[in-house]
Amino acid sequence: MSKGPVVILTALNLEYQAVRQKLADPQVHRHERGTRFEVGTVQGTSCRVALGLTNKGNHSAAVIAERAIQEFSPVAVLFVGVAGALWDTTRLGDVVMASHVYAYHGGTSEDDGLKARPRVWEAPHGISQIASHLARLNDWADPAPGHEDAPQIRFGAIAAGEVVQNSRISAEAKWIRQHYNDALAIEMEAAGVAQAGHLNGASVAVIRGISDRADGTKNSADDRNWQPRAAANAAAFATRLAVELAREEEETAVPRDDRIRSADRLDRHVSNTAHHSTIGIMAGTVTGSSVHLNTAPQASGPTDLIAELNGFREQLGRHRAEGILDEDTYREALTDLDSALRSAGGNTPETSKRTAMTLRRLRGLVAECPALVTALTPLITAAGGPA
C-alpha cells in the first residue's frame, strides 16, 4: 500500500491557485530535475496533497505526471482544471469526471476520409465508486453567492487532443462530435496523464469544471467569469475526493509492525502445535519440530534476482504467444525488463531503488495480466522496494 500523498496536477495557474487555496501550509518540494511541487494538507484534514503545474498539452502533462508518480508514490493522481463542453446538456460550472479518456488525435487518413484510431484509458473502478458516492452525498460544492443552482457532477468520457477547440461547424469539430459523441468535454492534457499513470501503475482520475462550450462562443469576458468558477468547482470536488481516497487508504492499510507481530504469533502457534499434534500441510515440509511453508520466491542477492528476472522474460514471451499481451505492450515490457536487469547487477541503494522503481513501472504496464502482476510483486520486494 502506498503511504504517499494524493498528487493533484493542473495545466493552468488559475487552476493551480484554485487547488492551492484548499491546502494548509503548502511547502515547496523540488524534484531533482527542477520541477517544483507544493505539498500541504487539505484544510481541516490530515490528507496530504502534492500539487504540481504541468502547463498545456498532453506531452508536458505526461512528463510531469511521471515525475510526480516516481517522486511521491502517490495514493492516486488527480488531474484538475477546466474544459469545454461538447453538448448543451452539460451546464457551465458543472464538473465532469472522466469515466474514460479518449486520445482522439489517433487516426489514419484514407481516400474516403479520416478514420478514428483512438487510445482509451478507463478510470479506476475504486476511484469511480468513491466519486459516485460523493456525488450522491452532494456536500462537496463551495457556496457561491448570487448563484442559486449548485454545480452538479457528471460522469462520462473526456476527449483529449492537441489543439484548442472552439467551433461547432469546423471540419474537425464535426469529426470529433461524430466519432466521440459520448464525450461530455474536451481538453488537452488528460491523455498524457492517463498514459503516465498506466505505464507506472498509478491510479488516475480526471476532473474538469466546464468553463465554455467549445462552440465558437468562447470570449474573454466569459473566460473571466466562468473559468474561475469552473476551476473552483473542480478543485472543490477534487480535494473532497482526495480526502476520501486518503481515508480509505488508511483504513485498508495494515501497518508493517502489525503484520510482523501477526507473523510472529503465527510462527509460535505453528511451532507449538508441531510439538503436540499432527499437522496436515499442503505444499510444505516438516523438519523435526520445524514447519516450513512454501512462500513466494524471494531472491537473496543480485545473481538470484537476475535469474528470476530472466525467468520473468519467459513468462512475458508465453503471454505474448498466447495473445494475452499485445505486441506494443510486450515490447514496452521488454524495454523495462532490460532496464531492470541492467541495474539489478549493482549492489548500492541507488541501483536497488532504480531496479524496484522500474519493476513497479513494469507491473503497471502489465496490470491487466494477474499472473504477471503476481510474479512481479516478490521481485520488487527482492530488489529492495515496497511491493
Side-chain angles (χ1 to χ4, degrees), residues 108-227:
T108 177
S109 179
E110 299 182 4
D111 290 343
D112 57 346
L114 180 63
K115 307 297 178 62
R117 287 188 178 179
R119 294 199 66 179
V120 184
W121 298 269
E122 288 194 13
H125 176 68
I127 293 182
S128 295
Q129 288 288 295
I130 295 174
S132 296
H133 176 69
L134 294 179
R136 288 190 293 270
L137 293 179
N138 200 27
D139 62 354
W140 56 271
D142 293 331
H147 300 286
E148 295 181 0
D149 293 333
Q152 299 297 310
I153 295 292
R154 302 288 303 278
F155 296 92
I158 288 179
E162 305 300 331
V163 298
V164 176
Q165 291 293 335
N166 188 30
S167 173
R168 187 162 288 189
I169 62 174
S170 70
E172 187 174 47
K174 292 178 180 178
W175 185 83
I176 291 170
R177 287 175 170 84
Q178 175 187 357
H179 290 280
Y180 304 96
N181 53 51
D182 62 333
L184 298 181
I186 189 165
E187 43 99 308
M188 299 173 60
E189 292 83 26
V193 178
Q195 174 70 347
H198 170 67
L199 293 181
N200 288 277
S203 297
V204 171
V206 178
I207 300 162
R208 294 290 198 173
I210 299 301
S211 61
D212 62 82
R213 299 198 178 281
D215 61 356
T217 61
K218 180 181 173 70
N219 58 62
S220 298
D222 283 344
D223 282 351
R224 286 193 297 271
N225 182 31
W226 281 109
Q227 273 197 351

Side-chain angles (χ1 to χ4, degrees), residues 18-29:
V19 176
R20 192 177 188 275
Q21 290 175 6
K22 299 287 185 180
L23 303 183
D25 192 29
Q27 300 293 317
V28 172
H29 178 102

Side-chain angles (χ1 to χ4, degrees), residues 30-32 50 59 82 98 124 131 227 248 283 300 316 352 374:
R30 183 181 180 278
H31 184 273
E32 63 180 355
H59 302 299
V82 301
Q227 273 197 351
E248 184 166 278
S300 59
L316 284 174
S352 296
T374 300

Side-chain angles (χ1 to χ4, degrees), residues 313 333-343:
R313 183 188 297 275
L334 285 184
T335 299
D336 280 346
L337 184 58
D338 289 339
S339 177
L341 279 164
R342 285 193 296 272
S343 58

